[in-house]
Amino acid sequence: MHKSSDKQVIDLAIIIPTLNEEHFVGYLLDSIINQSVQPKGIVVVDAYSQDKTIEQVKMRQTLLPQLKLFQIPKFTVSRQRNFGARQTTAKHLLFLDADTELRGQNILKKYFE
């Protein structure tokens, strides 16, 4: 994996709500690490997962220095998304579920063009 800070940064924040996503969120974050461009911010909003979701996220913070992790009480996924959107100054937002993967290194670049 490449360190994300060595790549071009685009004015985009990725918002990821999580709840017990230990088996998925790592794949999503790894696919973001491997993108040819990097988002300005990544905001994970966890609803107090009872599994190892938080550990999976924290394991990748060194390679994703723009990643912020928050925990809020479980209510609705919309509340998590809205909370995450308020935590960034990026002009563009991309909401992804934790079980999503960005297949191919240029997905964010193509999305942002």
Side-chain angles (χ1 to χ4, degrees):
M1 286 184 253
H2 303 286
K3 190 171 179 179
S4 64
S5 62
D6 299 337
K7 300 177 185 177
Q8 177 190 353
V9 175
I10 55 177
D11 195 9
L12 171 74
I14 298 175
I15 313 300
I16 308 165
T18 59
L19 177 61
N20 299 324
E21 301 286 355
E22 73 173 291
H23 299 294
F24 302 105
V25 72
Y27 292 112
L28 171 56
L29 294 174
D30 289 345
S31 73
I32 294 170
I33 290 167
N34 289 317
Q35 291 298 299
S36 60
V37 296
Q38 285 295 298
K40 178 179 180 179
I42 303 165
V43 182
V44 174
V45 183
D46 184 71
Y48 290 99
S49 293
Q50 298 298 307
D51 63 1
K52 292 184 172 27
T53 298
I54 298 301
E55 289 88 339
Q56 289 294 321
V57 173
K58 286 182 175 180
M59 283 174 40
R60 290 158 174 89
Q61 281 187 304
T62 302
L63 294 173
L64 291 169
Q66 74 275 41
L67 189 151
K68 295 179 186 175
L69 172 64
F70 297 92
Q71 286 189 297
I72 64 172
K74 181 182 175 189
F75 188 67
T76 66
V77 71
S78 297
R79 183 172 175 228
Q80 287 174 268
R81 289 182 182 123
N82 290 335
F83 180 92
R86 288 191 302 269
Q87 306 308 314
T88 181
T89 59
K91 281 186 175 182
H92 305 276
L93 302 176
L94 176 60
F95 297 94
L96 294 178
D97 292 328
D99 62 353
T100 305
E101 248 185 279
L102 303 177
R103 297 200 176 179
Q105 290 184 308
N106 292 314
I107 299 300
L108 288 182
K109 185 176 181 180
K110 289 177 184 176
Y111 173 80
F112 201 73
E113 289 177 344

